[in-house]
Amino acid sequence: MSTHARRLDVLRAIVSDYVSTREPVGSAMLARKYDLGVSPATIRNDMSILEEEGLIFQPHTSAGRIPTVKGYRLFVDQLAELKPLSAPERRALEVFLTDAADIDDVVDRTVRLLSHLTRQVAIVQYPQHVSANLVGIELVPIGAGRLLVIVIADDGEVAQQVVPDFATDTEQIHRLREHFNQQLVGAPLEQVVAQTDVLNDVDAPLLPVATAISQAIAAASDRKVDDRIVVAGTANLARSGVDFRHTIVPVLDALEEQVALLRLFSALPADNVTVSLGRENQHAGLSETAVVAGSYGDETTTAHLAVVGPLRMDYPGAMNVVRSVGQYLSHFLKNKR
C-alpha cells in the first residue's frame, strides 16, 4: 500500500470514529480499533501530515484530532460504495408509501421517512412537470348552460375547466370537439397555452363559444410551477447542537427561507446524489452544515430531496438513504399514473 493510500485510510478511520463517538480521535485509539497495518508511531506521523494538509485539526491541547471541512470533502469524494439499507429500513421504505392517497400524502410521508431514517432534517420538493403533450380534449355538457372542458396529457394528468353560459346543441359540441382535437392533439402543453390561430377556421356563429372553450383549454393546460417544499425533523438539530460553534438559529432561519432552499436545489444535478459542505452551500445559515441531496421523477417530472445536518454526519448512510428513497419515489410515482 502506498503512503498516500495509507493516509487516506487513516483519514477515513478518523472521520468514521468521530462521526460515531463525537470524540476527538487519537493515534493510540486508531491503532487499537482499526487494522491499519502500521504502528501507532506511523499513525501519529500520518496524522501530523494530514493536519499540515488541513484535513484534520486539534480542537484543543492534548486532544485527538477531528476532521475539517476539507477532510470531510476528501472523505466523501473517496467513497467507493454506499452503505446498503438494512432490512428494517428497506421494509419501512416499502411499507411507508404503499397506501399513500395522493401527491400531498406521498410528499408528507417521504419527508418524515427521510428524517426518521437519517436522524437529520429532511427536505422534499414537490414534483415539477418538465414537459407533456396533449393527447385529448373532451367537451361534456353538465347542465345549466355549462360545458366541462377536459384536457388530458400524455403523463396521465387530467385538468378541467368549466365554460359557463353557452348555448350550443349536441352536434355543435361534437364539431367543436373534433376541431380542437385536430388542431391541438400532440402539441406540447406550453404551445397549447400560447395558442393563437386555433380559431381561424371556426364558423362565425360558433366563434363566441369556441373562444371560451379555447381559453378554457389554455387555462387547463397551464401548469403552474409548484415551488412548495416540505421540511421535517428540525428537532434533530437540537440533538446535534454541540456540533455547531454557537447556535442552530442560523440553520433554522435558512430552513425557513424557501427561496434559499429552491436556489440550493436549482444548482444540483438531476441524476445523482451530491454532498455540499459548509460554505459550498452558498448560504450563511448553512455554512456549518452538510447537505446530502438527490432527485426523483422521470422524463416528465423532476424534483429534489435532501437531508441537512451537522458536518459530523454518517455520509455513506445518508447518501444511500437519499438515493434509495429517490429511486423508490420515482418508481412509485410512475406506477401510480
Side-chain angles (χ1 to χ4, degrees):
M1 178 187 297
S2 69
T3 301
H4 176 70
R6 187 185 69 237
R7 287 174 187 154
L8 284 178
D9 283 346
V10 173
L11 176 64
R12 279 191 285 265
I14 292 171
V15 171
S16 298
D17 203 78
Y18 180 65
V19 167
S20 175
T21 67
R22 195 184 280 164
E23 296 291 335
V25 183
S27 57
M29 188 283 303
L30 287 179
R32 290 194 307 270
K33 193 171 182 180
Y34 298 90
D35 183 17
L36 297 172
V38 292
S39 67
T42 300
I43 294 174
R44 281 195 297 273
N45 182 64
D46 288 339
M47 290 175 70
S48 296
I49 294 174
L50 291 172
E51 188 168 11
E52 290 174 4
E53 294 175 347
L55 298 170
I56 59 175
F57 75 101
Q58 189 175 32
H60 50 82
T61 306
S62 301
R65 307 302 194 272
I66 66 176
T68 64
V69 174
K70 183 179 177 181
Y72 283 121
R73 177 80 271 164
L74 182 58
F75 172 82
V76 170
D77 291 345
Q78 293 292 323
L79 284 176
E81 59 184 37
L82 300 182
K83 184 168 66 176
L85 293 181
S86 66
E89 288 173 332
R90 288 197 304 272
R91 284 195 296 271
L93 182 57
E94 292 169 359
V95 170
F96 210 61
L97 297 179
T98 298
D99 58 347
D102 52 31
I103 189 60
D104 295 314
D105 196 15
V106 169
V107 171
D108 179 68
R109 289 170 181 242
T110 299
V111 75
R112 288 189 287 119
L113 179 64
L114 268 179
S115 176
H116 172 73
L117 292 178
T118 63
R119 295 182 176 85
Q120 307 293 350
V121 178
I123 306 170
V124 176
Q125 180 184 27
Y126 268 72
Q128 302 190 38
H129 295 284
V130 176
S131 179
N133 296 328
L134 190 148
V135 297
I137 296 169
E138 291 294 334
L139 305 179
V140 182
I142 54 176
R146 296 185 300 161
L147 186 69
L148 181 65
V149 178
I150 304 172
V151 172
I152 306 167
D154 61 3
D155 62 357
E157 292 288 328
V158 177
Q160 302 176 350
Q161 290 282 316
V162 174
V163 175
D165 303 324
F166 79 96
T168 308
D169 61 31
T170 302
E171 176 58 28
Q172 290 172 329
I173 293 173
H174 175 75
R175 287 167 54 194
L176 288 170
R177 181 191 299 115
E178 291 296 312
H179 171 80
F180 283 109
N181 276 287
Q182 288 174 5
Q183 293 288 323
L184 299 174
V185 165
L189 292 185
E190 55 267 27
Q191 290 184 16
V192 175
V193 173
Q195 56 178 295
T196 58
D197 57 358
V198 71
L199 300 176
N200 289 352
D201 299 328
V202 175
D203 295 337
L206 291 178
L207 194 55
V209 68
T211 300
I213 293 171
S214 175
Q215 293 170 347
I217 292 172
S221 302
D222 189 8
R223 293 180 170 181
K224 303 297 183 183
V225 174
D226 196 337
D227 285 338
R228 284 181 294 170
I229 286 179
V230 180
V231 179
T234 52
N236 289 321
L237 285 175
R239 302 187 187 99
S240 302
V242 296
D243 291 300
F244 298 93
R245 284 177 293 179
H246 302 295
T247 174
I248 63 173
V249 172
V251 185
L252 294 174
D253 289 342
L255 292 172
E256 289 183 358
E257 292 184 32
Q258 182 165 312
V259 173
L261 297 179
L262 287 170
R263 189 181 302 118
L264 179 71
F265 282 155
S266 69
L268 298 175
D271 56 354
N272 60 349
V273 175
T274 60
V275 179
S276 54
L277 305 172
R279 298 191 182 279
E280 295 174 357
N281 293 311
Q282 299 183 355
H283 188 291
L286 300 177
S287 61
E288 292 186 65
T289 68
V291 178
V292 179
S295 62
Y296 69 94
D298 53 26
E299 64 277 2
T300 62
T301 59
T302 183
H304 288 90
L305 65 164
V307 295
V308 178
L311 293 167
R312 190 187 63 84
M313 182 186 291
D314 174 13
Y315 291 102
M319 291 170 70
N320 198 48
V321 168
V322 168
R323 182 187 62 180
S324 299
V325 171
Q327 290 175 342
Y328 189 85
L329 192 53
S330 298
H331 178 73
F332 176 85
L333 292 176
K334 181 178 179 180
N335 289 341
K336 275 291 184 180
R337 286 187 177 138

